Amino acid sequence: MKAAVVRAFGEPLVIEDRPDPEPGPGQVRIRVEASGLCHTDIHAAHGDWPVRPNPPFVPGHEGVGLVEKLGDGVTHLSVGQRVAVPWLGKACGRCEHCLSGWETLCEQQINTGYGCDGGYAEKMLAWADFAQPVPDGVTALDAAPLTCAGVTTYKALKVAGVRPAQLVAVSGIGGLGHLAVQYAKIAGATVAAVDVTDDKLELATSLGADLVIDARKEDVGEVLRQHGGAHAAIALAVDDAAFEAVNAGLRRGGKLVMVALPAHGTVRVPIFDTVLNGTSVIGSIVGTRQDLAEVFQLHAAGQTKVIRETRPLDSVNECIDEVLRGQVRARIVFDLAAGW
Ligand SMILES: [Zn+2]
Ligand SMILES: [Zn+2]
């Protein structure tokens, strides 16, 4: 099988021929149909973060495909079934976090495309208990971005406790943000979309955003405060200053939810305003299996629209460059079913 492999940090990925991986006990082998490109994959390939993967490895945590082979003990999945393999490749199932519905915080977790090989390949392994069944009516190409971008933004809105009639600011309208806008609308909120490019602001409007703020020309905090301030701000732009800008637009009691991960990012939070206004700063990382099941359910019901561009996997290095230059409108999905 072919796979796109990180052999050294910061170097182009190499397309390699590898033997088909054999599923161990509790695992399945999947023939990958579609695999999304998430910014995290680029951070992984560059070794940007304090905890680094070990090259050589195959990135990708938006892999979707058909189960091809069952490992010992796997009884709840069947060959031919479509599943998605998210960032949370495996968690221990026994710790305080796993047992309290916060498996995403498990300290024993293994992350797909980071701690084990991921979806930039014709075939991949997954732990069956964490391979999420994709319902009928959700295509592999749509399921891929939902597997990280979807579940991550859906969870961020849950963490913020967004309710109808609230004002939600979504900062950064890309692969994640275009879905965050839709989940906030589903929750009944008024949505303010913040970005720095015209086409992304137009995209946000077309997906239901009530208000757009061009951070190049407008003071984000001031515009939000003119509208009473945001009950929640979802920070998705990979830029420290963008976090501070939306934080300044929170209303009293408002919540800043940090989701994007700028390399070496640090945000200055004014203590006086935070204390007097009773605001919160919360980190939110991906989502649980149940969150992903709900994301797929909403999409199967026709409530969300995935904006994506499909590419062959052998263009992976050019695609990474495009994402880094900010030229991609939403999400790149490698279409493995279409070949290389
Ligand atoms: Zn991701
Ligand atoms: Zn655990």
Side-chain angles (χ1 to χ4, degrees):
M1 66 142 195
K2 285 185 179 169
V5 181
V6 175
R7 298 215 64 92
F9 292 128
E11 290 185 9
L13 277 68
V14 181
I15 305 290
E16 287 183 5
D17 253 316
R18 292 182 156 197
D20 287 358
E22 274 306 305
Q27 290 186 316
V28 291
R29 185 170 73 216
I30 296 157
R31 176 178 286 277
V32 180
E33 301 172 280
S35 198
L37 196 173
C38 177
H39 213 116
T40 291
D41 301 327
I42 303 175
H43 291 303
H46 290 176
D48 277 337
W49 291 336
V51 182
R52 295 166 135 203
N54 287 318
F57 67 94
V58 179
H61 55 275
E62 289 186 348
V64 177
L66 303 175
V67 174
E68 184 178 73
K69 188 171 182 185
L70 305 175
D72 286 347
V74 177
T75 55
H76 73 288
L77 296 179
S78 49
V79 170
Q81 187 173 359
R82 180 171 288 143
V83 294
V85 190
W87 174 249
L88 189 67
K90 185 178 194 275
C92 82
R94 292 180 303 275
C95 72
E96 122 186 37
H97 308 295
C98 285
L99 293 176
S100 61
W102 285 96
E103 61 194 15
T104 48
L105 303 182
C106 177
E107 295 195 51
Q108 308 297 319
Q109 70 183 271
I110 299 173
N111 298 122
T112 309
Y114 210 89
C116 63
D117 285 338
Y120 288 13
E122 285 179 312
K123 300 186 183 188
M124 71 183 299
L125 297 179
W127 281 276
D129 285 344
F130 289 81
Q132 184 70 42
V134 179
D136 290 344
V138 179
T139 66
L141 291 171
D142 276 356
L146 295 172
T147 300
C148 181
V151 74
T152 297
T153 49
Y154 182 71
K155 183 65 161 189
L157 287 157
K158 269 193 176 181
V159 164
V162 170
R163 298 195 309 271
Q166 291 191 330
L167 177 62
V168 174
V170 176
S171 170
I173 308 299
L176 277 78
H178 87 280
L179 288 160
V181 167
Q182 298 177 69
Y183 295 129
K185 291 305 294 180
I186 290 169
T190 298
V191 177
V194 185
D195 207 284
V196 291
T197 64
D198 294 332
D199 60 338
K200 287 187 175 169
L201 294 171
E202 282 161 23
L203 173 64
T205 302
S206 74
L207 294 170
D210 302 278
L211 167 72
V212 293
I213 305 174
D214 185 338
R216 290 169 302 187
K217 301 175 193 157
E218 297 171 281
D219 180 326
V220 175
E222 196 180 304
V223 176
L224 289 170
R225 289 194 303 274
Q226 282 165 6
H227 288 80
H231 294 84
I234 313 297
L236 306 171
V238 188
D239 173 52
D240 297 7
F243 284 65
E244 293 175 12
V246 278
N247 188 55
L250 291 177
R251 78 169 57 202
R252 291 195 162 195
K255 294 171 182 167
L256 171 68
V257 184
M258 295 185 169
V259 176
L261 289 164
H264 319 293
T266 302
V267 173
R268 288 172 305 142
V269 175
I271 297 170
F272 186 84
D273 293 344
T274 303
V275 171
L276 261 73
N277 296 334
T279 55
S280 312
V281 176
I282 309 167
S284 184
I285 176 83
V286 295
T288 63
R289 288 171 281 180
Q290 179 58 29
D291 296 321
L292 183 53
E294 291 169 18
V295 161
F296 284 157
Q297 186 187 330
L298 289 170
H299 195 70
Q303 295 209 58
T304 50
K305 187 175 171 191
V306 174
I307 307 293
R308 53 175 167 74
E309 295 173 19
T310 54
R311 304 288 174 80
L313 184 55
D314 62 8
S315 68
V316 59
N317 293 308
E318 296 89 87
C319 292
I320 287 174
D321 288 344
E322 272 180 67
V323 172
L324 291 175
R325 287 196 300 266
Q327 290 171 337
V328 182
R329 188 154 172 258
R331 199 64 152 185
I332 286 179
V333 179
F334 300 116
D335 185 352
L336 285 115
W340 293 65

